[in-house]
Amino acid sequence: MPYFHQSVCISPQNSFPETDLSRIRESKNNWLEATEPDYPGIPAAVKRRMGKSVRMAVGASIPLLKKFPPPDGMVIATANGGMEDCIRFLNQIHEYKEGLLTPGSFVQSTSNAAAAQIAILTKNHNYNITHVHRGLAFENALLDVVMLLKENPQAGYLLGSTDEISAYNYNIDRIAGWFRDEPVLNTGLFEKPAKGTIAGEGAFMVWMNNERTAAQAEMMAVKTIHTVDPGLVLKTMEKFLSENLPSGETPDLVLTGENGDIRMAPYIDIVESYFNESVPVARFKHFCGEYCTASSFACWLAIQIVQCGFVPPLLIKKKGSRSSCKRILIYNNYRDIQHAFILISAVERV
Amino acid sequence: MSRIFITGMGLISAIGDSVEENRDSLINEHCGIGHIRFYKTAYAGKLPTAEVKHTTDELNKKLFGTPDPSVTRTSLLALHAAGEAIRDSQLPSKEISSAETALVGASTVGGMCLTDELYHDARARDGGTPYLSSYDYASVTLAIRERYGILGETATINTACSSSANAIIYGARLIRHGFAKRAIVGGADSLAKFTINGFNALNILSSKICAPFDRDRSGLNLGEGAAFLVLEKEEDLNGKKTYAELTGFGNKNDAYHASSNSPEGQGPYLSMMEALERSGLGPQDISYINAHGTGTENNDETESRAMLRLFDQVPPFSSTKSLTGHTLGAAGAMEAVFAIQSLVYQEMYPSLSFQHPIPETGLVPVLHYTRHFIRHVMSNSFGFGGNCSTLIFSKS
C-alpha cells in the first residue's frame, strides 16, 4: 500500500516552514501569491536563474532530498511550467525582432525544467517524468507513483507539483472568463457566487513509499474523468467509493475544490448532496486560489488533517457530526470538464 | 504481466500524410527538410525546417469540413495521426470512447505554435483570439479526447524531446496495471516562431540540411508532425493482426546539464540498458537501432559513445531525422512507428547527408535502404533536461 511520508508545501498560506492553518492570508487584486521562503538550500547562482515555478519546486524538494535516500524516481506535475520565462522569451522575440536572443528563459520555460533541475542538483539518474495534463496533471503524477510502487515495492519516490501565476497567463485566463471581473477577496470568495474565481499558485513535494512505519497518511485511490455531465460525475464517484471503501461506509470528510465560480456549482452540489448530514464538508480554494495543480494543496491539507484528526475551522463549509477524521475524499473540478477524486486515509497503527 | 502489442499506427510528417507515405519516402530517400513556407518567422529562407506540406486551413478543412477556429495546428496534426491509428486498429467507436480506453498524448509546443496570437492575448484588455484555451500542452490531447469522447484515463506528458516515447511507456503501464484495456498513445508538435528562436538562441540549428553522425555536422533542423499508436494486451487480441510487441522500455535522466548530454552519454547508456533489462534481451539481440541522432555536435557524439559502451558490436543504426527533421514531442512516437515498420518489412532506412564518421567514435550509420533480418529493434529519444528514453519492439 502506498504511503505519504514527509511533505513540503509552498502556498499562499502559512504552510512552510511553519504550518498555521488557523489564520488566512488575504488575496490582492484577485491573486493569491505563494509565500516563498529564502531557500537557503539552493545555491545563489542557481537560484538567480530560476523562474518561480522551478524555484518553488526545487525549494520544496530540498528538505525531503536531504532526509530520505536518493529517490528511485521523481514524478512532477505542472500544467504550464515557467509561464513568466515563457512570456519573457516571447517578449525578447518581439523586442529584438527574432535577432540574437539569450536562451536562458527558453530553457527555463520548458515544463520539465523543475524535474530536470532536481535531477541535476542531486545527480539522480532514475525515472524522471513531468505530467502536464492541465487540471489533472497532479492526479496523473500520483497515479504514476502508485504504479511505480507496485512495480518496485521496495522503492521510494519524490512526487511533486508546481505552478505559478504570471501577469500574462492571468490575463489570458481573465479574458477567457475564468477569473472574476470585479475585485473579490479570497475570504469572501463564497459569499456572492458569480462567474470566475481568483488565481493561485504553489508547489508541493512529498516522499512516497510502501512503508507504514513513520508514514503520515495512506494513499488509498485516485480516479479522474472528463465530462460535463454532473450525473456521470456522481456515477463515477459512487463506483470509486464502492471499490475503495468497505461496503456501506462513507468518508469522514469531503474536501472539495469549490472556487466560487457558479459554473462549477452543479458538480460540487451533486457530490456534496450525495452524503448524509453526518459527513462534514470542507473546501480549500479560498486558501490556495485556482491553478491547474491546486488539488495537490488539498492533498497536503488531507495529510495534515488525518494526522491530527481535526479540520481547521476556516476550511469548514458544513460541520457534520463525525467524531473522528480518518478518511478524506478530495473532489476537485477544473473548468467544468476535468474531475478528480482522491481518497486519503490516516495510517492504521498496529 | 500482460504482453503489450501494437495494433494500430498513424503518422503525419514532412515526408508524408500516412504511415505508408512515410515508408515510401524513407525507402526512396525523399527528404522533407526545406525552405520555410507555412509559418511566419524572420528565419524563412535562412534556416531549413521540415514542414508538413499543408497549410493549417487545409488540415482544418480536411479534418473538420467546416474549420473549427479554436483548434491549433499542433492539435490538427495530432487529430490527423490519431485518426489514422484508430481506423487502422479497427476498434469500434464504442470501444474507443469507453472508460476502458486510455489516451496519452505528448507535446512540447502545444498551442504555442501561435506565437503571435499568444503575444497578443497576453496583453489584450478584452476580446482576445479564439485560441485562449488552446495554448497549453494538454490542449492537444484534449482535442483528441473530445473528438472521440474518450472516457478513460487521459494524460499529457512533456519530457522535452522524449515526450512521446514516455507517452508510449505510460500507456503500456496503465494497461499492465489494469487502469485501461487499451491505450491510444503518441505525440504532436508543430513548427513555431517560439521554438525556432529558442533552439537558435542555443546555437544548435543548422543552416544546412542536417547530417546526423557526420564529422562535419552543424546542428539540427526542426520538424513537425504527429504519430499515434494503439496498444492492446495479448489477452484481448483474439487473433487480431498486430505489428509488433513492445518488449522493453527505459526512462533515465542524464542529470548533467539542462540542454546538453554528459560527455560519456550516461543517460542514453542507462536508458538503453534499462530497456534491455526489462525485455530480457542482451545487447547482441538488437538487430537495428533508430537513433536519436539529431545532428548536433553534442548529441551524436555522446549517443555514439553510449552505443559503443553498451554494444560490443554496434548494430546497424539510422537517424530518420535526416528526412523528417527533429519533431520534438512527436519524435519518440514517430520513430517508434518507423522502428515497427522496419520490423514488419524487415528493412532498414537510410540516414541521409552522411559523409565522414566522427573521428573519435568511427561509427557509420545505414546509408541506403537495405533489406535486413530484424528480430528486435531499439528506438532512442533523448531530451533537454536530461530526459532519456528507449523503446524496444520485437517481432510479433
Side-chain angles (χ1 to χ4, degrees):
Chain A
M1 191 61 92
Y3 290 96
F4 294 108
H5 286 255
Q6 193 180 320
S7 62
V8 172
C9 178
I10 293 171
S11 77
Q13 302 303 326
N14 303 304
S15 55
F16 184 77
E18 303 303 324
T19 301
D20 177 7
L21 297 171
S22 67
R23 290 176 301 139
I24 181 166
R25 286 171 183 259
E26 282 192 349
S27 57
K28 272 189 204 133
N29 305 322
N30 294 2
W31 283 29
L32 267 170
E33 283 192 69
T35 316
E36 289 188 90
D38 290 337
Y39 306 114
I42 312 178
V46 179
K47 188 160 68 184
R48 255 199 315 280
R49 284 199 300 271
M50 283 177 170
K52 193 177 197 176
S53 74
V54 174
R55 188 170 65 226
M56 291 192 296
V58 173
S61 72
I62 283 176
L64 307 181
L65 293 163
K66 277 192 179 147
K67 176 167 175 167
F68 295 98
D72 295 286
M74 43 192 84
V75 181
I76 307 292
T78 179
N80 291 310
M83 279 308 297
E84 196 74 48
D85 272 305
C86 167
I87 301 291
R88 197 172 295 147
F89 191 68
L90 199 55
N91 290 346
Q92 266 195 58
I93 292 176
H94 278 257
E95 201 174 323
Y96 298 100
K97 298 200 166 46
E98 300 188 64
L100 279 179
L101 311 178
T102 49
S105 299
F106 176 69
V107 173
Q108 284 285 319
S109 76
T110 59
S111 58
N112 65 332
Q117 274 296 339
I118 300 170
I120 291 169
L121 282 172
T122 55
K123 303 212 178 347
N124 187 305
H125 293 293
N126 294 330
Y127 184 77
N128 186 296
I129 199 160
T130 305
H131 284 272
V132 296
H133 195 58
R134 200 177 283 176
L136 300 178
F138 177 68
E139 285 77 4
N140 286 342
L142 183 55
L143 183 63
D144 200 336
V145 175
V146 167
M147 292 195 289
L148 288 168
L149 283 171
K150 274 199 190 130
E151 292 159 21
N152 309 296
Q154 308 299 320
Y157 294 95
L158 182 71
L159 166 73
S161 69
T162 186
D163 268 308
E164 67 182 28
I165 325 175
S166 81
Y168 300 98
N169 72 329
Y170 176 80
N171 193 55
I172 290 169
D173 289 341
R174 183 188 60 78
I175 306 172
W178 294 113
F179 296 124
R180 290 276 175 100
D181 280 330
E182 76 289 350
V184 61
L185 279 179
N186 58 329
T187 46
L189 187 61
F190 306 117
E191 279 164 19
K192 273 194 226 135
K195 266 192 179 183
T197 182
I198 54 170
E201 63 182 4
F204 167 67
M205 287 284 159
V206 62
W207 184 264
M208 289 186 75
N209 64 21
N210 285 330
E211 282 168 40
R212 185 201 303 239
T213 318
Q216 298 190 347
E218 184 185 318
M219 165 59 201
M220 294 179 74
V222 53
K223 173 76 193 159
T224 63
I225 188 166
H226 292 75
T227 180
V228 287
D229 172 10
L232 186 54
V233 172
L234 181 65
K235 253 173 72 182
T236 305
M237 179 175 74
E238 279 181 315
K239 186 164 181 278
F240 177 70
L241 293 176
S242 74
E243 282 170 357
N244 294 294
L245 288 180
S247 147
E249 291 192 23
T250 50
D252 301 314
L253 176 71
V254 178
L255 182 58
T256 81
E258 181 175 356
N259 69 357
D261 187 327
I262 42 166
R263 292 167 293 186
M264 310 306 140
Y267 308 105
I268 303 285
D269 288 348
I270 207 163
V271 165
E272 282 180 12
S273 54
Y274 173 78
F275 299 98
N276 68 35
E277 286 300 305
S278 76
V279 181
V281 176
R283 49 198 174 189
F284 62 90
K285 285 203 179 139
H286 53 314
F287 265 54
C288 68
E290 183 65 281
Y291 57 103
C292 288
T293 48
S295 54
S296 65
F297 181 75
C299 182
W300 175 79
L301 279 175
I303 295 169
Q304 311 313 307
I305 293 170
V306 294
Q307 285 181 83
C308 60
F310 168 80
V311 187
L314 287 168
L315 298 172
I316 291 173
K317 178 181 185 185
K318 212 180 86 191
K319 233 169 163 277
S321 57
R322 293 289 168 101
S323 54
S324 66
C325 190
K326 285 193 167 155
R327 273 193 305 238
I328 300 179
L329 172 71
I330 299 169
Y331 165 65
N332 191 42
N333 167 307
Y334 193 76
R335 295 186 185 172
D336 271 356
I337 198 171
Q338 296 189 302
H339 309 267
F341 297 97
I342 304 175
L343 260 179
I344 290 175
S345 151
V347 181
E348 292 288 337
R349 299 290 170 201
V350 224
Chain B
M1 197 102 75
S2 295
R3 293 169 67 185
I4 306 290
F5 289 84
I6 287 78
T7 62
M9 299 193 289
L11 172 55
I12 182 167
S13 79
I15 59 169
D17 292 353
S18 65
V19 173
E20 278 317 308
E21 276 185 39
N22 271 269
R23 178 173 172 246
D24 280 350
S25 295
L26 290 173
I27 292 173
N28 296 306
E29 304 186 5
H30 286 157
C31 174
I33 304 164
H35 285 308
I36 297 168
R37 286 162 55 200
F38 298 112
Y39 64 106
K40 271 195 271 171
T41 168
Y43 293 105
K46 293 176 190 153
L47 294 173
T49 56
E51 292 175 297
V52 168
K53 308 294 184 270
H54 299 286
T55 66
T56 304
D57 275 351
E58 277 168 26
L59 286 168
N60 213 324
K61 279 189 194 123
K62 211 167 153 183
L63 284 162
F64 287 94
T66 318
D68 179 338
S70 70
V71 183
T72 66
R73 184 173 178 89
T74 314
S75 293
L76 290 168
L77 294 173
L79 284 165
H80 194 284
E84 185 188 2
I86 288 168
R87 282 191 303 279
D88 187 36
S89 74
Q90 299 188 339
L91 286 166
S93 58
K94 225 178 89 192
E95 286 187 20
I96 293 293
S97 65
S98 105
E100 292 180 316
T101 300
L103 172 65
V104 188
S107 186
T108 71
V109 176
M112 276 199 296
C113 50
L114 298 158
T115 310
D116 291 332
E117 289 80 354
L118 174 61
Y119 184 79
H120 169 271
D121 286 336
R123 286 171 175 65
R125 287 286 315 145
D126 42 41
T129 69
Y131 305 106
L132 293 170
S133 298
S134 316
Y135 290 121
D136 64 358
Y137 314 109
S139 62
V140 180
T141 314
L142 287 166
I144 301 173
R145 199 218 69 80
E146 194 179 329
R147 188 169 181 99
Y148 296 96
I150 296 167
L151 289 169
E153 288 294 336
T154 305
T156 308
I157 287 163
N158 181 349
T159 53
C161 307
S162 60
S163 300
S164 54
N166 282 320
I168 295 172
I169 297 173
Y170 190 70
R173 289 173 58 230
L174 285 173
I175 296 174
R176 283 190 172 163
H177 285 270
F179 291 111
K181 230 173 129 86
R182 62 193 78 84
I184 301 160
V185 296
D189 261 330
S190 61
L191 285 158
K193 193 188 272 188
F194 189 84
T195 21
I196 198 167
N197 276 280
F199 280 81
N200 192 50
L202 286 159
N203 271 320
I204 51 175
L205 293 182
S206 176
S207 56
K208 297 180 290 196
I209 307 281
C210 68
F213 298 103
D214 187 80
R215 180 190 71 192
D216 304 319
R217 66 200 179 283
S218 56
L220 61 86
N221 306 132
L222 290 169
E224 65 181 352
F228 279 83
L229 301 92
V230 178
L231 310 180
E232 295 185 69
K233 59 181 194 291
E234 189 179 27
E235 300 87 301
D236 299 333
L237 292 174
N238 299 319
K240 184 177 184 173
K241 69 153 183 161
T242 63
Y243 291 107
E245 180 182 358
L246 174 66
T247 47
F249 48 80
N251 167 316
K252 290 285 177 182
N253 197 285
D254 194 45
Y256 177 74
H257 187 270
S259 58
S260 63
N261 281 342
S262 58
E264 293 304 310
Q266 187 64 2
Y269 173 81
L270 291 171
S271 120
M272 287 190 275
M273 185 80 128
E274 187 187 13
L276 279 175
E277 277 167 11
R278 211 179 279 264
S279 64
L281 300 170
Q284 71 285 354
D285 296 319
I286 298 299
S287 328
Y288 174 49
I289 301 175
N290 187 308
H292 185 55
T294 57
T296 65
E297 204 162 313
N298 175 258
N299 177 81
D300 295 1
E301 183 165 344
T302 57
E303 185 172 9
S304 297
R305 286 188 193 280
M307 288 193 288
L308 285 165
R309 281 166 70 198
L310 186 61
F311 298 97
D312 286 337
Q313 184 91 49
V314 175
F317 66 97
S318 348
S319 167
T320 46
K321 289 188 178 76
S322 60
L323 296 96
T324 63
H326 187 357
T327 58
L328 308 178
M334 203 175 268
E335 288 163 29
V337 171
F338 295 154
I340 292 164
Q341 289 285 76
S342 74
L343 265 180
V344 171
Y345 294 100
Q346 298 288 294
E347 62 193 15
M348 302 192 294
Y349 304 117
S351 206
L352 303 184
S353 307
F354 177 91
Q355 287 189 320
H356 309 284
I358 300 167
E360 293 79 8
T361 59
L363 294 178
V364 178
V366 175
L367 298 178
H368 299 286
Y369 173 76
T370 315
R371 301 279 302 167
H372 190 69
F373 174 75
I374 300 176
R375 180 86 190 80
H376 306 284
V377 58
M378 180 182 260
S379 179
N380 280 331
S381 299
F382 312 136
F384 281 176
N387 281 118
C388 299
S389 289
T390 298
L391 304 169
I392 296 175
F393 297 98
S394 303
K395 217 169 154 36
S396 54

